[in-house]
Amino acid sequence: MISELLQIPAPGPAVYNEPSPDGVSPRPHWAPFFDTLGEVGPEEFVRRWNRAERRIRENGITYNIYSDPLGAARPWKIDAIPLLIPQEEWSYIEAGIIQRAELLNLLLKDLYGPRTVLSGGLLPAALLFGNPAYLRPLAGVRVPDASYLHLLAVDLARSPDGQWWVVADRTQAPSGAGYALENRTIVSDVLPDLFRTCNVRRLASFFRAQREALLRLSGVDNPRAVLLTPGPYNETYFEHSYLSRYLGLTLVEGADLTVRDRRVFLKTVEGLQPVDVILRRVDDWFCDPLELRGDSVLGVAGLVDAICSGNVKVANALGSGAIETAAIMPFLPALSKDLLGEPLKLPCVATWWCGQDYALKSVLDHLDRLVVKPAFPLRGMEPRFGADLALSEKQLLAEQLKAHPGQFVAQEQVALSTVPVWEHDGVSSRSLVLRAYVLNTGESWVAMPGGLVRVAGPDSPLVSMQQGGHSKDAWVLSDAPVDTFSMLRPRHQPVEVRRVGADVPSRVADNLFWLGRYAERAECMTRLLRCSINHVRSANEAELECLMRLHACFDSRYSTLPKGTPATSLHLENELISLMTNSKRPDSLMSVLSDIHETGNRVRERLSNDMIRLLGQLAESVKVEEYMLFVEHSALLTGCLELLAAFSGLERENVTRGTGWLFLSLGRRLERAIYASRQLSGLSGSLDRENWPLLNYLLEVSDSSMTYRSRYFTTLQTVPVLDVLMADETNPRSLDFQLSHLADLYEKLPRHAEGDLRAIRHAVSLIRSFDLEALNVPSPGSGSEHSGNSEERERLGRSLQELTRLLASWSDNLAAHYFDHARTVAISIGG
């Protein structure tokens, strides 16, 4: 069964095969796993894994791949077969990485303090001062409990003789721990029997220790801790969002934080809230545009000053990237004996820093067997495998090494161990690297039992997720009963019932507000486009004029209609297609749907899985194939409306009425009010016999045709249409309904501005003040189309135009007050 299901590949002569020494019989610690897996059977295994892959897609578990033509956000790749590590072997690894964490932490303490390792000749000064990652503004700054490293990631590779070697250290903002946790959740769900049979050590206690260590780092009672992310375009953004929820931290971007009086504050809709601890996932140089990299938009201006003042704690400490270079590896054995008084337990792969003459000569003599890397990763050079270079390329590389020796490091090319990777088209053997994690609790060091296993892609020698690699779960097999602790509270432990959620950062509120606006904008555009597309080809001259007035509701700056000459139906038809499908046009429906998807992803931790799935479907809903007929565009728009209606229904029926929902709903009501005022402006002006079809179009766009017909058994007339679309407080599509609800929602916000609330209330009163009967707008065929109270109609037209201006200013004030925390300007609407 196992040989048919997995087909364990026979290793090469110089490669360690993880599950089997001979490609036939499993190693002792793998045998129980294969026995239980055989009982599952291939069909059941495939069914379970298909379910897991569907879960990955539906839950939006992604890894962003830069410059990928298929799209940056790719589903996370995980293999079903874990890497098994016996307890005895793990004990050796654990002791080695904990010692390494202690050593590197002491090294950072010395480099940013007395620098005795330089004066004692244990580390070349050029290796420190020539490193752009060494942050001079942080030299001499005290770190609480000398905890420079909160978390260390160590990349390990196994050589053909079975020995584990360190190939890299990640010291400034280690990634992957969240993906390791997600891998564990998925694989243990697919193979629960095997997980129990193999007695696998759990991960939850490690993350509990991490949360406790972060809170302890603050040194204050009830600290506020946040996770600082570069944002949704970062390759591991999903992990940031996932970890923030799991650890109970607020996910923030640089723009969410501000420094006032040398203290860091979180911008929330409640006001500025002090921040005590920052778990950062932003690289050192980008954390403060004032003191570090001036062009950074990812960091917080003044953060270094706040750190130097001791008012905020950052994990890992700023400047820890100074030792995230393979160039220090040749010096670690001597440093271990000097700083720890003991030899290095876990060896580094053979490494040479070319800044030393003897090392450069050795590298040049053995270039065929080495991998050359930049000593300081900020240079951006990819690793160069000497064995793969042509003679001319090798000569060029040698010249570069001689010209700038201190900028390069060379390592022995390790023949990585292999592990089977299961895919739907069969099993293949891939090289692997294990990333292990060590946590500084403030009192001791704790290793995650396992870690993140990365395997090479099918056509790449590099183990890199950016180049198509997979991931695996790592199971540490315990010889004793395992700790079954969960981050969730046990059922028998009572909890305090509460209905107040966590802080709503201003950025989250901003994105929810615009998610509401974009969703409503898409719906309004879709209704306008569908109505126009359904009528444009059969429109006579008068109807075409009405459709052009309807097109004015788009308020487009990118219109393709001719300027200065009358537009034909063909012109309008091409413009409608462009408005619907041109992704390069910022005001097109396709662009707005893309904005919905992008904005929703920025607050995915606040949305349900059903809403996330709808956002993905919306982004694809109006893609038009070349073979599609024009009439089929209407069907696509109807499908898009159905998805938008589903999203609106989930928002109204499934989302708790918290502060986030208020901003989402405010955005919807504001956008609908803007479109309603634009549409009604077309009725407030002159309306002669030829323009009466506009009444029908507006009712159709506003989905109010049935409301009108059920009330008025007559032909369309302007006054009753105005009443239905403008003044009817019971019609969810009327302008009055939008404004009154806008005021009610705004009043529920914390710290709302009384002046802005009065402005909206006054706008409602103004709309209700118009006596529509006094407008005396004539009926079609009455013979007096141009009669009526023109002065009152002009006042209505001016009021609607002023309302549009008011709504734009009101939105700006909302953003300034809640999102930017700046001063607002007084706004009002006249009579």
Side-chain angles (χ1 to χ4, degrees):
M1 165 70 81
I2 294 302
S3 62
E4 292 177 359
L5 182 62
L6 297 179
Q7 289 295 311
I8 303 172
V15 174
Y16 185 94
N17 189 315
E18 293 289 344
S20 172
D22 55 10
V24 178
S25 302
R27 298 184 188 276
H29 62 282
W30 280 84
F33 175 87
F34 285 139
D35 289 343
T36 308
L37 185 61
E39 296 173 4
V40 173
E43 293 182 359
E44 173 64 12
F45 180 79
V46 170
R47 186 190 68 80
R48 292 183 187 182
W49 192 246
N50 287 339
R51 183 184 64 192
E53 289 184 325
R54 184 168 61 251
R55 172 182 169 181
I56 290 172
R57 293 191 300 271
E58 291 177 350
N59 290 354
I61 305 173
T62 58
Y63 180 85
N64 296 339
I65 300 178
Y66 303 132
S67 303
D68 192 324
L70 300 178
R74 305 296 298 278
W76 177 245
K77 292 183 178 181
I78 174 176
D79 183 53
I81 309 300
L83 172 68
L84 306 188
I85 306 174
Q87 179 61 53
E88 180 181 357
E89 188 173 282
W90 176 252
S91 297
Y92 167 76
I93 294 174
E94 184 177 36
I97 59 178
I98 286 178
Q99 183 208 44
R100 194 175 190 87
E102 292 177 314
L103 172 60
L104 294 179
N105 192 68
L106 288 174
L107 179 58
L108 280 170
K109 179 182 178 181
D110 184 77
L111 294 178
Y112 283 97
R115 295 196 283 264
T116 58
V117 296
L118 302 186
S119 58
L122 295 172
L123 193 71
L127 194 53
L128 179 67
F129 297 120
N131 187 349
Y134 180 65
L135 303 186
R136 287 168 175 77
L138 277 301
V141 176
R142 292 183 66 253
V143 173
D145 301 324
S147 180
Y148 286 86
L149 293 181
H150 165 74
L151 186 69
L152 170 69
V154 182
D155 287 344
L156 303 168
R158 197 199 291 269
S159 60
D161 61 359
Q163 170 69 49
W164 286 100
W165 298 79
V166 176
V167 295
D169 298 294
R170 303 299 177 196
T171 59
Q172 59 172 328
S175 65
Y179 283 116
L181 179 61
E182 182 66 15
N183 285 358
R184 172 61 56 84
T185 302
I186 293 171
V187 175
S188 62
D189 181 59
V190 172
L191 303 173
D193 297 336
L194 284 86
F195 189 73
R196 287 191 297 270
T197 300
C198 294
N199 203 33
V200 182
R201 290 182 59 180
R202 309 309 203 257
L203 303 181
S205 59
F206 176 85
F207 290 98
R208 172 184 60 181
Q210 183 177 20
R211 173 175 168 78
E212 292 174 350
L214 283 170
L215 300 182
R216 189 183 301 116
L217 188 65
S218 68
V220 301
D221 295 331
N222 301 316
R224 176 177 279 103
V226 300
L227 191 156
L228 178 61
T229 172
Y233 297 111
N234 184 262
E235 58 189 3
T236 58
Y237 179 72
F238 167 82
E239 179 191 25
H240 307 166
S241 175
Y242 181 71
L243 272 181
S244 68
R245 292 197 304 270
Y246 193 75
L247 296 175
L249 309 179
T250 303
L251 183 67
V252 301
E253 296 179 25
D256 295 330
L257 303 177
T258 184
V259 175
R260 308 281 174 90
D261 297 324
R262 309 182 82 182
R263 289 214 60 182
V264 178
F265 292 88
L266 171 64
K267 301 174 186 175
T268 76
V269 295
E270 301 280 356
L272 298 179
Q273 304 294 336
V275 173
D276 304 294
V277 180
I278 299 174
L279 175 60
R280 69 179 177 95
R281 294 300 299 272
V282 176
D283 288 347
D284 289 330
W285 269 103
F286 295 91
C287 284
D288 186 345
L290 288 182
E291 294 281 357
L292 303 174
R293 182 163 172 164
D295 62 348
S296 171
V297 295
L298 305 178
V300 185
L303 179 59
V304 169
D305 191 31
I307 293 172
C308 294
S309 303
N311 293 327
V312 69
K313 313 303 186 296
V314 178
N316 287 350
L318 281 190
S320 55
I323 59 173
E324 191 173 282
T325 167
I328 71 165
M329 286 188 177
F331 309 99
L332 288 181
L335 288 169
S336 180
K337 291 181 180 179
D338 182 77
L339 297 177
L340 295 177
E342 58 188 29
L344 204 59
K345 295 179 180 178
L346 199 58
C348 305
V349 67
T351 307
W352 296 266
W353 176 53
C354 297
Q356 296 173 304
D357 292 339
Y358 76 90
L360 175 62
K361 182 179 184 305
S362 181
V363 169
L364 293 174
D365 291 342
H366 303 92
L367 202 53
D368 288 340
R369 302 201 302 268
L370 302 177
V371 181
V372 178
K373 306 176 182 179
F376 311 123
L378 291 178
R379 295 184 71 247
M381 169 186 159
E382 292 294 329
R384 305 289 299 275
F385 292 82
D388 298 336
L389 298 178
L391 180 59
S392 58
E393 295 174 319
K394 202 174 301 180
Q395 291 173 343
L396 179 60
L397 179 58
E399 292 301 322
Q400 291 176 327
L401 292 174
K402 294 175 184 177
H404 305 284
Q407 298 294 319
F408 295 95
V409 63
Q411 289 185 315
E412 180 184 1
Q413 185 172 349
V414 180
L416 302 177
S417 63
T418 62
V419 70
V421 173
W422 182 85
E423 294 180 301
H424 291 284
D425 57 352
V427 176
S428 60
S429 182
R430 307 275 183 84
S431 301
L432 74 91
V433 171
L434 170 64
R435 176 165 290 185
Y437 299 89
V438 188
L439 171 71
N440 187 349
T441 69
E443 300 172 349
S444 62
W445 295 86
V446 177
M448 178 192 291
L452 179 67
V453 180
R454 295 173 297 146
V455 295
D459 303 314
S460 174
L462 289 177
V463 178
S464 169
M465 299 302 293
Q466 282 288 327
Q467 299 191 24
H470 281 57
S471 69
K472 282 178 174 287
D473 192 11
W475 289 7
V476 174
L477 312 180
S478 177
D479 297 333
V482 297
D483 181 6
T484 57
F485 167 80
S486 170
M487 288 288 279
L488 299 176
R489 292 176 182 266
R491 294 179 181 177
H492 65 272
Q493 181 178 338
V495 296
E496 180 183 353
V497 177
R498 61 181 182 181
R499 294 178 181 172
V500 179
D503 293 329
V504 179
S506 296
R507 175 188 56 84
V508 171
D510 191 359
N511 281 309
L512 287 171
F513 175 71
W514 276 100
L515 178 60
R517 289 198 65 172
Y518 286 140
E520 190 60 38
R521 183 176 301 176
E523 182 172 344
C524 293
M525 290 182 66
T526 303
R527 292 185 179 279
L528 284 167
L529 283 168
R530 187 176 64 169
C531 176
S532 300
I533 284 174
N534 286 340
H535 296 287
V536 65
R537 285 198 168 180
S538 60
N540 57 35
E541 185 176 345
E543 291 168 338
L544 180 62
E545 175 61 26
C546 291
L547 291 175
M548 292 298 298
R549 292 173 69 172
L550 197 65
H551 174 268
C553 297
F554 288 107
D555 193 29
S556 173
R557 292 181 297 169
Y558 305 93
S559 174
T560 62
L561 293 173
K563 305 291 191 297
T565 59
T568 65
S569 59
L570 181 60
H571 288 142
L572 182 56
E573 182 178 316
N574 291 333
E575 162 67 3
L576 293 174
I577 294 175
S578 174
L579 262 170
M580 176 180 171
T581 65
N582 188 351
S583 60
K584 296 181 180 179
R585 183 170 168 171
D587 64 341
S588 72
L589 176 60
M590 185 170 285
S591 293
V592 173
L593 293 175
S594 177
D595 291 336
I596 294 175
H597 185 252
E598 182 177 324
T599 306
N601 275 334
R602 290 175 180 165
V603 289
R604 60 179 305 118
E605 71 276 5
R606 306 272 174 163
L607 304 178
S608 69
N609 291 335
D610 288 336
M611 297 180 85
I612 291 293
R613 281 193 290 270
L614 277 175
L615 294 181
Q617 294 173 31
L618 276 169
E620 304 290 326
S621 62
V622 294
K623 288 190 175 180
V624 178
E625 304 293 342
E626 292 185 2
Y627 60 82
M628 282 187 175
L629 301 175
F630 179 71
V631 293
E632 293 178 298
H633 290 34
S634 178
L636 286 179
L637 292 169
T638 298
C640 180
L641 271 179
E642 291 172 352
L643 292 173
L644 288 165
F647 184 82
S648 177
L650 287 173
E651 174 232 318
R652 285 197 299 267
E653 301 298 331
N654 290 26
V655 179
T656 55
R657 272 27 180 187
T659 306
W661 175 83
L662 286 175
F663 281 99
L664 180 63
S665 298
L666 279 168
R668 295 189 72 101
R669 293 301 171 194
L670 176 66
E671 193 70 20
R672 189 177 290 187
I674 290 172
Y675 269 84
S677 61
R678 289 178 189 168
Q679 293 164 18
L680 289 168
S681 294
L683 290 182
S684 63
S686 61
L687 196 68
D688 54 28
R689 185 191 305 271
E690 288 73 20
N691 294 138
W692 286 109
L694 182 62
L695 298 175
N696 185 53
Y697 296 157
L698 289 178
L699 286 173
E700 181 181 337
V701 166
S702 301
D703 198 22
S704 299
S705 299
M706 187 57 64
T707 301
Y708 183 90
R709 290 170 185 164
S710 65
R711 293 180 183 174
Y712 309 105
F713 297 96
T714 181
T715 57
L716 295 176
Q717 297 183 27
T718 305
V719 169
V721 170
L722 273 173
D723 181 68
V724 168
L725 299 185
M726 184 180 79
D728 184 359
E729 66 273 12
T730 67
N731 180 12
R733 293 281 169 181
S734 76
L735 180 58
D736 183 291
F737 191 95
Q738 312 317 314
L739 295 177
S740 59
H741 275 67
L742 198 63
D744 293 342
L745 291 167
Y746 182 70
E747 189 174 19
K748 295 177 182 177
L749 286 179
R751 304 187 306 113
H752 67 265
E754 288 296 334
D756 286 358
L757 180 61
R758 283 195 301 271
I760 293 296
R761 294 287 190 204
H762 183 56
V764 175
S765 301
L766 182 63
I767 292 299
R768 294 177 178 176
S769 70
F770 286 98
D771 182 0
L772 298 182
E773 296 290 348
L775 295 179
N776 291 323
V777 180
S779 302
S782 64
S784 57
E785 286 83 354
H786 297 288
S787 64
N789 191 335
S790 60
E791 182 178 341
E792 186 70 1
R793 288 166 63 183
E794 288 176 2
R795 187 172 77 90
L796 174 61
R798 289 195 305 270
S799 296
L800 289 171
Q801 291 175 359
E802 193 175 355
L803 177 60
T804 304
R805 176 200 59 78
L806 170 79
L807 291 172
S809 298
W810 189 85
S811 178
D812 292 341
N813 271 4
L814 184 80
H817 188 58
Y818 287 103
F819 310 152
D820 301 329
H821 295 261
R823 270 189 281 180
T824 60
V825 296
I827 56 174
S828 62
I829 183 170

